[in-house]
């Protein structure tokens, strides 16, 4: 059986992994590069389910079960930090009662924490905390997981076509027989028995190309990255999910999230400075000294929420659960499927449910194996390199410790290099290392990739352009224009 999956984010790769384990021949088609959409723009939380106990109990149960499972099958991409839900004096007592009741009813473990234990673990938190609960939150290393999934899928014979856009489908007797794509090799048709729309925020547009109406509600969220890891556990505000109510430690940084703004289009908007200032003030309700923390950058990610009833102005009311649509049953187009909504934490489950529906529709007995198959670590990432620095060539990125040998693969895309090494993602935001790393490209490729990287880094810096960041922006502009003489046109 041959299946084409459209979209190489967490959902698409999760689908491809589950299908590949069933023995299916899979081709993943990605219009850009792996993880450039929602999957590369999230705060890194491995959900315990605690955040949705009251508002979205089904999603809460799924998150907790997958949280436990991912620690077993993907230990190299999961950090078991633990987390806390903290209630300030004056926060809703009724919400706390409902939250603790739902935790018990749904089987999500929580533990009330003595004030002394909380102060020892997180001394930077406001003293204005009435109660706190421990939950099994964690951190999901999204970049590493994406890299591991790609390697695992390819090791089983499936293919990934990046910079290749799906532009239509071919059908025969109302059944999908192929997917038309355009990419580096020109226009061609990929023959298949089924096609899966896993395009995240763009899933509605893909379905539209098939002549099908799918209601996707894009919702963007602004997140701020702080330069130093000042906390080692996730911190959530114990109230209805809202803006600026969660801190997530990630690698050497801490991420504050997030806003939730419904929008009509799937592309992430430019981050807004006034929104960043507002997010800082909300975060300071939990961390009073937040204004003294150095902000590295801000970024927007777009949630691909599924709203069957149509677009809404209040995206916080839309479920965080996922849906799998069989367009043969729903729309009379056999062999076409869509996977919509969901969380990074539930990517594997989404793949399993899709795989079950696809196998059933094709009358094939192909049981899922993704729940008990370990996703191996990708051996060539910087995080797993064991070579001594003297054997690794010149140091290219001081912030993240990236050496020449960490970039041995000359054919790797810029996104793949950044996911594998984190170059340009440290305190200097690529001001110096971008030139060293991308200078290994051809002249034409260097100019194109450098322009894109400078733009991407700058709009994240500009949104938090106060204090030391204002000086870094001036240094970056001077370095680019004077020292490196880059083309500013």
């Amino acid at each position: 059986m041959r299946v084409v999956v459209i979209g190489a984010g967490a959902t698409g790769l999760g689908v491809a992994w589950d299908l590949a384990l069933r023995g299916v021949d899979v081709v993943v088609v990605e219009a850009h590069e792996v993880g450039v959409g929602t999957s590369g723009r999230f705060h890194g939380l491995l959900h315990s389910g605690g955040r949705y106990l009251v508002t979205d109990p089904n999603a809460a149960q799924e998150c907790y079960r997958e949280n436990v499972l991912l620690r077993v099958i993907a230990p190299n991409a999961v950090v078991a930090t633990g987390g806390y839900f903290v209630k300030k004096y004056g926060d809703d007592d009724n919400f706390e009662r409902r939250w603790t009741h739902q935790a018990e009813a749904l089987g999500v473990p929580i533990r009330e924490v003595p004030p002394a234990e909380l102060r020892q673990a997180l001394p930077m938190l406001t003293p204005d905390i009435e109660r706190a609960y421990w939950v099994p939150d964690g951190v999901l290393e999204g970049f590493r997981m994406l890299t591991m999934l790609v390697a695992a899928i390819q090791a089983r014979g499936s293919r990934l076509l990046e910079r290749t856009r799906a532009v239509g489908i071919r059908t025969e007797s109302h059944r999908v027989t192929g997917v038309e794509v355009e990419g580096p090799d020109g226009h061609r048709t990929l023959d298949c028995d089924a096609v899966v729309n896993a395009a995240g925020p763009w899933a509605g547009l893909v379905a539209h190309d098939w002549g099908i109406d799918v209601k996707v509600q894009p919702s963007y969220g602004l997140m701020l990255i702080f330069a130093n890891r000042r906390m080692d556990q996730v911190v959530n505000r114990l109230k209805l999910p809202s803006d600026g109510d969660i801190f997530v430690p990630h690698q050497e940084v801490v991420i504050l999230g997030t806003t939730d703004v419904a929008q009509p289009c799937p592309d992430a908007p430019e981050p807004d400075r006034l929104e960043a200032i507002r997010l800082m003030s909300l975060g300071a309700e939990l961390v009073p000294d937040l204004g003294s923390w150095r902000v590295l950058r801000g970024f927007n990610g777009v949630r691909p929420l599924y709203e069957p009833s149509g677009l809404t102005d209040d995206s916080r009311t839309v479920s965080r659960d996922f849906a799998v649509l069989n367009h043969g049953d729903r729309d009379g187009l056999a062999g076409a499927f869509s996977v919509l909504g969901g969380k990074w934490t539930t990517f594997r489950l989404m793949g399993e449910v899709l795989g079950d529906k696809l196998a059933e529709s094709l009358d094939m007995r192909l049981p899922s194996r993704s729940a008990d198959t370990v996703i191996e670590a990708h051996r060539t990432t910087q995080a797993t390199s064991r070579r001594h620095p003297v054997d690794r060539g010149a140091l290219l990125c001081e912030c993240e410790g990236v050496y020449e040998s960490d970039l041995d693969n000359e054919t790797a895309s810029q996104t793949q290099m950044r996911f594998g090494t984190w170059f340009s993602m440290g305190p200097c935001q690529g001001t110096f290392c971008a030139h060293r790393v991308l200078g290994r490209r051809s002249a034409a490729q260097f100019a194109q990739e450098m322009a894109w990287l400078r733009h991407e880094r700058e709009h994240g810096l500009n949104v938090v352009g106060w204090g030391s960041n204002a000086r870094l922006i001036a240094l970056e502009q001077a370095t680019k224009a004077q020292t490196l003489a880059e083309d500013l046109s």
Side-chain angles (χ1 to χ4, degrees):
M1 181 168 63
R2 298 162 300 178
V3 175
V4 173
V5 177
I6 299 173
T11 301
L13 294 177
V15 167
W17 173 236
D18 187 87
L19 292 176
L21 288 173
R22 298 176 194 242
V24 176
D25 180 10
V26 184
V27 178
V28 181
V29 176
E30 169 55 51
H32 303 288
E33 294 178 356
V34 170
V36 298
T38 307
S39 300
R41 293 174 169 271
F42 85 125
H43 45 43
L45 178 64
L46 179 69
H47 281 271
S48 64
R51 195 163 175 84
Y52 304 121
L53 284 171
V54 174
T55 59
D56 214 332
N58 193 53
Q61 277 192 312
E62 291 170 348
C63 283
Y64 174 61
R65 291 169 183 165
E66 291 300 297
N67 176 312
V68 173
L69 185 59
L70 289 176
R71 294 168 190 253
V72 177
I73 66 169
N76 291 291
V78 169
V79 184
T81 61
Y84 296 94
F85 276 79
V86 297
K87 177 180 178 292
K88 293 185 62 177
Y89 286 99
D91 287 346
D92 186 2
D93 291 332
N94 184 52
F95 181 84
E96 180 188 7
R97 285 191 292 269
R98 294 168 62 197
W99 187 84
T100 55
H101 172 77
Q102 284 290 87
E104 181 178 1
L106 299 177
V108 176
I110 64 172
R111 174 177 60 85
E112 187 169 0
V113 175
E117 178 183 330
L118 182 68
R119 284 194 297 272
Q120 182 176 8
L122 298 163
M124 75 291 298
L125 294 185
T126 175
D128 188 27
I129 291 175
E130 182 179 9
R131 262 186 297 280
Y133 297 87
W134 176 91
V135 295
D137 278 342
V139 172
L140 181 59
E141 298 283 2
F143 295 161
R144 189 174 301 169
M145 182 69 86
L146 291 171
T147 303
M148 289 163 53
L149 284 169
V150 169
I153 291 163
Q154 292 176 333
R156 292 182 179 270
S158 293
R159 292 178 290 157
L160 168 65
L161 304 179
E162 293 183 288
R163 294 173 291 281
T164 301
R165 184 179 301 276
V167 295
I169 55 174
R170 290 192 178 182
T171 62
E172 185 176 318
S173 301
H174 303 290
R175 173 172 288 278
V176 173
T177 60
V179 177
E180 296 187 19
V181 300
E182 291 180 352
D185 298 328
H187 187 103
R188 57 178 169 149
T189 300
L190 303 174
D191 295 333
C192 64
D193 301 295
V195 59
V196 178
N197 173 10
W202 298 273
L205 299 179
V206 171
H208 182 268
D209 290 342
W210 299 352
I212 292 172
D213 183 28
V214 170
K215 298 292 194 303
V216 176
Q217 173 61 72
S219 162
Y220 81 83
L222 174 66
M223 286 154 275
L224 302 179
I225 306 177
F226 295 90
N228 301 108
R229 180 168 170 149
R230 306 272 187 107
M231 56 178 63
D232 290 324
Q233 294 84 24
V234 177
V235 178
N236 302 265
R237 185 89 173 260
L238 184 54
K239 64 176 187 174
L240 279 171
S242 59
D243 296 349
D245 65 349
I246 182 171
F247 289 86
V248 183
H250 194 78
Q251 295 274 353
E252 301 303 319
V253 303
V254 172
I255 300 176
L256 166 65
T258 172
T259 59
D260 196 331
V261 183
Q263 61 176 33
C265 63
D267 298 305
E270 292 286 320
D272 179 78
R273 185 175 295 187
L274 289 179
E275 195 172 19
I277 294 171
R278 174 174 167 270
L279 198 60
M280 287 286 293
S281 68
L282 291 170
E285 294 180 11
L286 285 179
V287 180
D289 195 34
L290 192 64
S292 69
W293 292 20
R294 182 186 167 192
V295 191
L296 273 180
R297 62 185 287 103
F299 68 98
N300 276 327
V302 177
R303 306 172 186 86
L305 307 177
Y306 176 53
E307 180 50 82
S309 61
L311 299 184
T312 176
D313 293 329
D314 185 4
S315 49
R316 286 216 181 266
T317 64
V318 181
S319 173
R320 268 47 179 173
D321 203 355
F322 68 90
V324 175
L325 306 183
N326 180 342
H327 295 297
D329 297 336
R330 180 181 181 268
D331 304 288
L333 182 59
F337 299 81
S338 290
V339 190
L340 309 163
K343 308 293 297 180
W344 229 121
T345 301
T346 59
F347 79 92
R348 187 218 60 86
L349 178 61
M350 295 161 72
E352 178 184 322
V353 173
L354 180 282
D356 287 345
K357 287 185 178 291
L358 191 150
E360 180 184 8
S361 73
L362 296 177
D363 196 24
M364 302 182 72
R365 292 189 177 182
L366 299 172
S368 176
R369 296 170 49 206
S370 61
D372 53 17
T373 303
V374 173
I375 307 171
E376 300 290 345
H378 187 42
R379 292 193 300 272
T380 61
T381 60
Q382 179 204 14
T384 58
S385 175
R386 296 185 178 181
R387 285 181 286 184
H388 192 275
V390 298
D391 301 322
R392 297 169 65 187
L395 178 61
L396 303 180
C397 173
E398 293 95 337
C399 297
E400 301 299 331
V402 181
Y403 291 81
E404 281 184 312
S405 62
D406 296 316
L407 302 170
D408 283 342
N409 184 0
E410 296 290 344
T411 63
S413 68
Q414 182 184 140
T415 301
Q416 289 170 334
M417 290 194 296
R418 291 170 65 207
F419 282 8
T421 67
W422 278 48
F423 93 85
S424 82
M425 298 168 78
C428 87
Q429 289 291 284
T431 299
F432 305 108
C433 63
H435 200 272
R436 299 171 188 154
V437 172
L438 298 181
R440 297 151 52 90
R441 306 293 207 188
S442 67
Q445 191 175 6
F446 168 81
Q448 180 182 21
E449 292 197 19
M450 180 62 80
W452 182 88
L453 180 62
R454 290 297 193 207
H455 170 75
E456 195 275 338
R457 294 287 94 180
E458 285 171 1
H459 79 236
L461 270 174
N462 290 337
V463 70
V464 293
W466 57 74
S468 60
N469 277 346
R471 294 189 291 274
L472 176 59
I473 291 170
L475 174 63
E476 192 263 352
Q477 291 291 320
T479 302
K480 178 173 68 173
Q482 300 172 24
T483 306
L484 301 178
E486 292 173 22
D487 183 7
L488 299 180
S489 61

